[in-house]
């Protein structure tokens, strides 16, 4: 997924605020669903982030064009682990591992088979 860095994404120095890398990754995960004509939130079923391990390697700045790459690392019946990287051109700026739990009515639940096809 391609993202342009806007002023609202940066701190007063024009550098991307650290929490926004997590938002960029969230957008990219949601976009996987949208590209298939689906929604990551279906009735009372949805993913939540259970844990994240993040490495901030270099800074993006106002006006940069970034690419978020996403891959599935592990899948279980009610959770998945995704690995995501944020690049500026070929330069790796951020990498993170996200454990996502699937909930139905706010309780852990099996991930529907059609969702696995997305990843």
């Amino acid at each position: 997924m391609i993202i342009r860095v806007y002023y609202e994404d940066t701190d007063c120095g024009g550098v991307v605020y650290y929490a926004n890398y997590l938002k960029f990754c969230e957008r990219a995960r949601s976009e996987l669903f949208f590209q298939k004509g689906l929604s990551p939130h279906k009735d009372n079923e949805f993913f939540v982030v259970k844990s994240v391990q993040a490495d901030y390697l270099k800074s993006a700045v106002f006006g940069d064009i970034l690419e978020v790459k996403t891959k599935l690392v592990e899948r279980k019946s009610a959770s998945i682990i995704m690995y995501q990287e944020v690049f500026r051109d070929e330069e790796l700026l951020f990498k993170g591992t996200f454990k996502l739990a699937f909930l139905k009515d706010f309780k852990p639940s099996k991930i529907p088979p059609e969702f696995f096809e997305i990843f």
Side-chain angles (χ1 to χ4, degrees), residues 108-119:
S109 180
K110 283 189 172 184
I111 299 171
E114 64 269 18
F115 281 8
F116 282 127
E117 294 173 16
I118 293 167
F119 309 119

Side-chain angles (χ1 to χ4, degrees), residues 43-100:
D43 302 320
N44 288 328
E45 300 177 335
F46 49 89
F47 287 97
V48 295
V49 174
K50 182 176 183 332
S51 64
V52 62
Q53 187 276 317
D55 288 316
Y56 300 88
L57 307 170
K58 296 191 177 183
S59 298
V61 297
F62 175 70
D64 279 350
I65 303 294
L66 307 177
E67 181 178 10
V68 181
K69 296 181 181 180
T70 305
K71 76 176 179 180
L72 179 66
V73 174
E74 182 179 298
R75 100 182 208 187
K76 294 186 177 177
S77 64
S79 68
I80 58 174
I81 296 177
M82 307 287 291
Y83 176 74
Q84 294 183 275
E85 298 173 315
V86 178
F87 290 87
R88 176 181 47 226
D89 298 319
E90 299 299 316
E91 185 177 28
L92 180 61
L93 307 179
F94 170 89
K95 59 185 178 178
T97 303
F98 299 80
K99 182 171 187 176
L100 307 173

